[in-house]
Amino acid sequence: MKKMSKVMSIVVVLALCVAMFAGCTATPPATDSQAPATSATTDEPQSQEPSTGASTEASPAAAGSAGSHEIYTKLPNSALSGVIDPNMPSRADVDKAWPKTPKDPSKIVVGWTEINQDNDWFIGVRDAAVALSEKYGFQLNFMNADNDVNTQSQHIDTFISQGVDIIVVDAINNVGPVEDIKRAVEAGIPVVCIGTVPDDCPILTTVAPNGFELGFESGQYIAKQYDPNEEIISSLIIGVMGSSASESRLCGMISGVLYERAQAKGKAFATEQDAWLEGFNAFSNVQQSGTYDNPDLGFKIVAWGTGNWTVEGGLAAAEDIITAHGSEMNLIMPDNDFMAVGAITALRNAGLQDSIKIGTSADGTVEGMDMVKSGELICTGAMSGPETGAAAVEFINDIFNEGFDPSNLPLGSYFPANIITAENIDEFYPTDKTGFDAKFYKTPQFVFPKTIDEIKAEAAK
């Protein structure tokens, strides 16, 4: 039995860091009309705030919020999903249909609308949810939205009609389910989200991996693989521009590379937030022009491509990038393992596997970890579907059966960020090949999120 006094170590963040744009691991490709002329991709980026230029000097604190850094004025933004705002407002007075008494406390009924079942990540969400629902005696009504916002809306209406005890939404994007969630809460049904944090609405919280922090730590580790005097010339492969999962991982990776390069060159940023801001400006520059160059820190991005989170997409994007820039690059940063597998294949086919390194920040698949072991992949990150699905069910058990209070949680409650490298891979590699997480790293024990009051108290220390 979990106790209310157990230490809560999960990293939780304000969901204002979520996308203005469609954000989620399965968001359809963006359709804004400004594609960068120098980009090695045919996908078209969402417009962004202009870059303020590269600088390794400390950034001024933002006016208007005491003690806040300028980076927090950029929120909400899909590229910063996972960044903590130390001045987040309380949500204690938001009506979230909580407390809720189940119709039958011995058989809690859960309505679950999932983005798709197209790959192992989303199948892992389902398998974990099914396994743990059986463990706790929950009735799980699981539905597949097949990447369709209208279908997901219909799912929520169905759950309202069924009178389920709680609804889990893996939002196709951050805007689509907001009105549906409001209807559910008005009907007296609490809602918890996973993955992408929806725009401000009366959910209990969103349990999700922290894309930006995973990216930041991965970027730091990747930069350490290069001599400080060696210029890093990179390209990016993004799942979908406009997705909070993809954008935050890559923005974090860029920020981490910049932070580590500055340290190594004796030009350290005054704070991590300064590196985040420079990384955000760099990512915005890539979105608009397709490139970024910081000669002071010896870091350049020459192209980006879209891989749609698949092996095939990563292969195609890497082939285009290699054709245009293979002779000058020494790094490719895809935002997940599946695209990294495709990129590695493209490098082998071009005979460039020894001159161009690859590093990513998700998803911690067994295949990805095997590539880390073999030296083909610098690192990956703990960001799996099974952990996400398991967290939602554990959260539901905690609030209904263990006495945990979800009344003042942030819109986004994020898992601790763990990157997987050759040095620590044995800690993550699965030993049970039959469990729901057999294709990913070992799912860690769930820890209930910190409340907004707890987060603020820690920030004030």
Side-chain angles (χ1 to χ4, degrees):
M1 296 286 288
K2 300 178 180 126
K3 303 296 183 182
M4 285 297 296
S5 60
K6 76 179 182 182
V7 177
M8 304 177 191
S9 61
I10 196 169
V11 179
V12 244
V13 269
L14 178 65
L16 287 177
C17 55
V18 197
M20 299 176 183
F21 315 113
C24 176
T25 329
T27 309
T31 56
D32 192 81
S33 61
Q34 293 182 337
T38 55
S39 168
T41 179
T42 57
D43 192 65
E44 297 166 336
Q46 299 282 351
S47 59
Q48 279 275 20
E49 191 168 354
S51 169
T52 58
S55 171
T56 58
E57 296 180 0
S59 306
S65 183
S68 287
H69 190 280
E70 183 183 347
I71 190 65
Y72 302 116
T73 68
K74 308 299 182 182
L75 304 176
N77 192 289
S78 55
L80 298 173
S81 181
V83 172
I84 299 169
D85 183 348
N87 296 294
M88 65 179 73
S90 171
R91 298 183 68 241
D93 295 332
V94 175
D95 180 10
K96 312 176 196 71
W98 188 266
K100 169 77 174 182
T101 301
K103 292 178 182 178
D104 180 358
S106 67
K107 196 171 191 67
I108 294 168
V109 180
V110 181
W112 191 305
T113 175
E114 187 53 52
I115 293 173
N116 65 48
Q117 291 291 275
D118 292 349
N119 62 41
D120 287 342
W121 203 96
F122 292 104
I123 292 170
V125 171
R126 181 200 65 199
D127 289 351
V130 169
L132 291 177
S133 291
E134 290 176 354
K135 172 184 175 181
Y136 291 124
F138 299 163
Q139 177 182 321
L140 179 63
N141 299 344
F142 187 96
M143 293 187 176
N144 174 15
D146 200 20
N147 303 313
D148 187 275
V149 174
N150 292 327
T151 299
Q152 189 157 74
S153 177
Q154 292 167 10
H155 288 173
I156 295 173
D157 284 336
T158 297
F159 297 145
I160 293 172
S161 299
Q162 292 174 344
V164 301
D165 296 312
I166 190 167
I167 297 172
V168 178
V169 178
D170 191 352
I172 291 173
N173 61 50
N174 60 303
V175 178
V178 170
E179 294 305 316
D180 305 314
I181 290 169
K182 290 178 180 178
R183 288 199 307 278
V185 171
E186 289 170 0
I189 303 173
V191 177
V192 60
C193 291
I194 64 173
T196 290
V197 186
D199 284 357
D200 193 14
C201 63
I203 58 171
L204 296 175
T205 193
T206 304
V207 290
N210 189 325
F212 187 90
E213 187 62 30
L214 280 166
F216 187 74
E217 293 191 13
S218 297
Q220 289 178 275
Y221 186 82
I222 289 168
K224 290 177 181 177
Q225 311 312 306
Y226 294 83
D227 186 278
N229 296 317
E230 179 184 7
E231 185 177 22
I232 299 177
I233 304 174
S234 180
S235 63
L236 312 177
I237 302 179
I238 192 166
V240 169
M241 193 69 80
S243 159
S244 61
S246 279
E247 290 195 6
S248 62
R249 290 195 293 246
L250 285 179
C251 185
M253 290 173 80
I254 294 168
S255 301
V257 170
L258 289 167
Y259 182 84
E260 183 59 35
R261 292 293 277 185
Q263 292 277 99
K265 286 179 170 290
K267 302 178 180 181
F269 289 96
T271 65
E272 283 193 4
Q273 287 88 345
D274 290 331
W276 299 351
L277 181 61
E278 180 57 32
F280 174 78
N281 290 335
F283 184 73
S284 299
N285 205 70
V286 171
Q287 286 179 303
Q288 293 172 43
S289 69
T291 63
Y292 167 79
D293 189 10
N294 189 324
D296 286 343
L297 298 184
F299 179 51
K300 179 187 296 185
I301 299 170
V302 293
W304 66 271
T306 300
N308 293 303
W309 303 289
T310 66
V311 174
E312 297 77 13
L315 172 62
E319 286 175 339
D320 289 345
I321 291 170
I322 290 168
T323 298
H325 302 282
S327 62
E328 60 180 315
M329 286 188 309
N330 55 12
L331 174 65
I332 299 177
M333 295 193 293
D335 79 63
N336 81 347
D337 286 355
F338 298 103
M339 295 186 296
V341 171
I344 287 171
T345 301
L347 289 179
R348 288 177 187 154
N349 293 342
L352 296 172
Q353 67 271 23
D354 295 328
S355 58
I356 300 177
K357 296 182 173 70
I358 295 183
T360 186
S361 54
D363 298 290
T365 62
V366 168
E367 187 171 12
M369 289 188 286
D370 286 342
M371 292 189 299
V372 171
K373 280 186 174 182
S374 69
E376 295 174 289
L377 186 63
I378 296 173
C379 60
T380 183
M383 190 173 188
S384 77
E387 182 176 10
T388 305
V393 179
E394 294 285 6
F395 178 87
I396 291 169
N397 184 63
D398 277 357
I399 63 174
F400 280 113
N401 296 327
E402 301 293 344
F404 285 83
D405 183 7
S407 60
N408 193 25
L409 299 176
L411 280 173
S413 297
Y414 288 78
F415 310 148
N418 291 306
I419 65 165
I420 301 171
T421 70
E423 290 81 8
N424 67 8
I425 195 166
D426 290 341
E427 300 173 25
F428 295 93
Y429 206 86
T431 53
D432 179 7
K433 296 293 186 178
T434 62
F436 57 75
D437 55 359
K439 294 182 179 180
F440 293 85
Y441 58 88
K442 291 183 289 190
T443 296
Q445 182 178 358
F446 175 73
V447 182
F448 196 79
K450 294 175 184 175
T451 67
I452 290 175
D453 290 338
E454 289 171 327
I455 295 166
K456 286 187 171 182
E458 288 187 0
K461 291 180 181 177

